[in-house]
């Protein structure tokens, strides 16, 4: 998508990498573009270090990003692991995940301004409901920002704050997929009529899928009650 707009970032960052081979920044990293990678899961951190061991333009931060510097508790849900104090996450909403003493771990947390040097121009954030804490404390004003905002029944619990921040900082929505919203700084490049049409259809499809999913769940509840 960036190539089609002739947009070539100089410093990319991803918060919530998980598996290195599926990183949203993989193509940029392979081009030796400077990259900042943030991952809280210690097991994934080791995999990231091993996978990118020959890449010298990478800085890895083995921490969680939150509203303060300290220790946070995570529920271990694989790719959907999340900070337990969050009120809504994809695992909780879509998968009915149950937190227990057997599936928790603690990690160091930092505010994003402790990591951000102000030069990031492309940012990907996927940290299961805590994305707002990256935006809230960010020094940089990236040209492109991708954020996990939705998925099935899940809506980011800080979506209103995120959208308000985007408006106040002169960003506009570029496109959506099944889970992420991608924003661009106004003036970086033009959003074509076709892209605007695709975005309209994506929003429509998202609304229809949510209504359909909710209806199915209600029907299942009624049938369960009738039994």
């Amino acid at each position: 998508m960036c190539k089609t707009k002739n947009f070539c970032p100089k410093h990319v960052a991803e918060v919530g990498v998980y598996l290195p081979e599926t990183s949203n920044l993989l193509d940029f990293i392979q081009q030796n573009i400077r990259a900042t990678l943030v991952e809280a899961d210690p097991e994934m951190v080791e995999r990231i270090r091993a996978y990118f061991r020959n890449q010298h333009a990478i800085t890895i931060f083995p921490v969680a990003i939150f509203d303060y510097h300290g220790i946070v508790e995570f529920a271990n849900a694989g790719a959907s692991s999340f900070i337990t104090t969050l009120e809504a996450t994809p695992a909780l909403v879509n998968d009915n995940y149950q937190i227990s003493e057997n599936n928790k771990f603690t990690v160091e947390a930092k505010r994003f301004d402790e990591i951000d040097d102000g030069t990031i121009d492309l940012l990907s954030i996927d940290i299961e409901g805590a994305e707002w804490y990256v935006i809230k404390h960010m020094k940089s004003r990236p040209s492109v920002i991708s954020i996990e905002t939705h998925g099935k029944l899940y809506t980011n619990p800080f979506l209103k704050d995120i959208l308000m921040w985007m408006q106040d900082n002169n960003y506009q929505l570029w496109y959506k997929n099944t889970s992420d919203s991608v924003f661009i700084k106004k003036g970086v490049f033009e959003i074509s009529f076709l892209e605007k049409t695709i975005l309209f259809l994506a929003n429509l499809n998202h609304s229809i899928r949510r209504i359909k999913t909710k209806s199915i769940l209600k029907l299942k509840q009624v049938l369960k009650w009738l039994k």
Side-chain angles (χ1 to χ4, degrees):
M1 293 291 288
C2 289
K3 285 181 179 178
T4 64
K5 298 296 186 179
N6 295 315
F7 173 67
C8 300
K10 295 180 180 180
H11 181 187
V12 298
E14 182 170 15
V15 186
V17 180
Y18 196 58
L19 292 172
E21 58 268 31
T22 60
S23 166
N24 286 340
L25 303 185
L26 190 57
D27 288 342
F28 299 108
I29 292 171
Q30 291 173 342
Q31 296 172 45
N32 290 316
I33 293 172
R34 180 187 174 195
T36 296
L37 303 180
V38 184
E39 173 58 48
D41 187 328
E43 181 180 344
M44 292 302 111
V45 170
E46 292 308 310
R47 293 183 64 162
I48 291 166
R49 285 176 173 155
Y51 191 86
F52 294 124
R53 61 185 177 277
N54 296 321
Q55 299 291 335
H56 304 295
I58 291 179
T59 302
I60 300 170
F61 290 93
V63 298
I65 299 300
F66 201 50
D67 208 19
Y68 56 78
H69 187 143
I71 301 296
V72 293
E73 183 181 71
F74 264 76
N76 190 352
S80 299
S81 295
F82 58 92
I83 296 172
T84 57
T85 55
L86 294 170
E87 63 181 63
T89 78
L92 290 172
V93 175
N94 294 329
D95 305 325
N96 195 29
Y97 184 90
Q98 301 297 314
I99 302 172
S100 71
E101 292 301 320
N102 296 326
N103 59 23
K104 294 191 291 186
F105 63 96
T106 57
V107 298
E108 180 185 6
K110 289 188 176 183
R111 286 186 7 161
F112 196 62
D113 53 10
E114 297 179 72
I115 290 172
D116 180 11
D117 66 359
T119 66
I120 298 167
D121 49 11
L122 184 146
L123 175 64
S124 172
I125 320 170
D126 182 354
I127 48 176
E128 309 301 312
E131 290 80 5
W132 166 240
Y133 297 118
V134 177
I135 298 296
K136 180 181 179 181
H137 299 293
M138 183 168 60
K139 294 179 183 177
S140 299
R141 290 299 180 268
S143 296
V144 179
I145 304 176
S146 174
I147 309 176
E148 185 180 42
T149 54
H150 57 278
K152 296 182 182 178
L153 290 174
Y154 169 75
T155 298
N156 194 296
F158 298 102
L159 184 60
K160 289 183 179 179
D161 297 298
I162 292 169
L163 294 178
M164 183 60 69
W165 187 95
M166 293 295 171
Q167 179 179 316
D168 292 345
N169 287 274
N170 208 31
Y171 284 84
Q172 59 184 328
L173 186 59
W174 179 17
Y175 69 91
K176 278 185 177 182
N177 59 24
T178 55
S179 61
D180 299 347
S181 298
V182 182
F183 299 85
I184 64 166
K185 190 84 170 170
K186 290 181 181 178
V188 172
F189 50 75
E190 290 295 321
I191 299 177
S192 69
F193 176 76
L194 176 60
E195 288 170 329
K196 291 178 181 178
T197 302
I198 292 172
L199 177 60
F200 171 79
L201 294 174
N203 283 328
L204 181 61
N205 181 58
H206 176 60
S207 297
I208 292 172
R209 288 182 65 182
R210 282 180 62 83
I211 292 171
K212 184 178 179 180
T213 302
K214 286 182 177 180
S215 297
I216 292 172
L217 287 174
K218 286 182 179 179
L219 178 59
K220 287 182 178 179
Q221 290 174 349
V222 170
L223 291 174
K224 185 177 179 181
W225 180 80
L226 289 174
K227 287 181 180 180

